[in-house]
Amino acid sequence: MASPGRKAENNPLTVGVDDADPDAPVLRVAGDLAFTTAAPLRATVDRLLAGRPAQIVFDFGELLFIDSTGLSVIVHAWREGQQSGTVVRLRSTPRFLTTILDMTGVRGLLDRPLPAARTELTGPTAAPAASA
């Protein structure tokens, strides 16, 4: 979080995408991830998840500040990834972010495995559908 007297948006948010591996794009997040700066990151996350990569990686090596809105972008990525089969990973997390992730339980969310792939039975061996 911010130190007393520090305005959360002192350092503009920058988001860079390294998509050299389209199955595991890396989002490099730098500056202050806060209510007033989070929208571009969320839009980038949504764009990347639409491509259904195996994983997306948030690189927070240059993150200076995060508030609850910034944290919600991480949770949003995880939730959407759970539905589309994309694992969300974090790397280079500063100590303050690690503490926040632990305190809020977000680290536990990120550690959850993807749901098992749902397979539909088709063809002559398929069980008949239940009727209501």
Side-chain angles (χ1 to χ4, degrees):
M1 297 302 209
S3 58
R6 181 186 183 280
K7 190 173 181 183
E9 298 82 15
N10 281 344
N11 300 292
L13 181 74
T14 60
V15 178
V17 178
D18 177 356
D19 55 3
D21 180 355
D23 238 12
V26 177
L27 292 111
R28 289 191 174 85
V29 183
D32 294 345
L33 179 51
F35 175 74
T36 59
T37 64
L41 177 59
R42 185 174 171 134
T44 301
V45 166
D46 288 343
R47 181 179 57 80
L48 291 173
L49 286 172
R52 296 182 163 288
Q55 69 176 342
I56 62 171
V57 179
F58 287 87
D59 183 329
F60 286 120
E62 296 181 44
L63 184 71
L64 301 173
F65 172 86
I66 191 168
D67 70 4
S68 60
T69 303
L71 198 59
S72 75
V73 173
I74 298 169
V75 173
H76 168 75
W78 172 81
R79 185 179 32 231
E80 296 299 313
Q82 289 285 300
Q83 294 178 9
S84 66
T86 300
V87 174
V88 174
R89 303 222 186 275
L90 308 184
R91 76 175 184 200
S92 303
T93 55
R95 176 176 273 152
F96 73 88
L97 179 55
T98 300
T99 300
I100 292 168
L101 294 170
D102 288 341
M103 287 174 41
T104 58
V106 172
R107 180 183 297 281
L109 276 180
L110 297 174
D111 289 341
R112 290 184 185 175
L114 288 173
R118 296 180 193 176
T119 56
E120 294 180 12
L121 294 175
T122 59
T125 59
S131 58

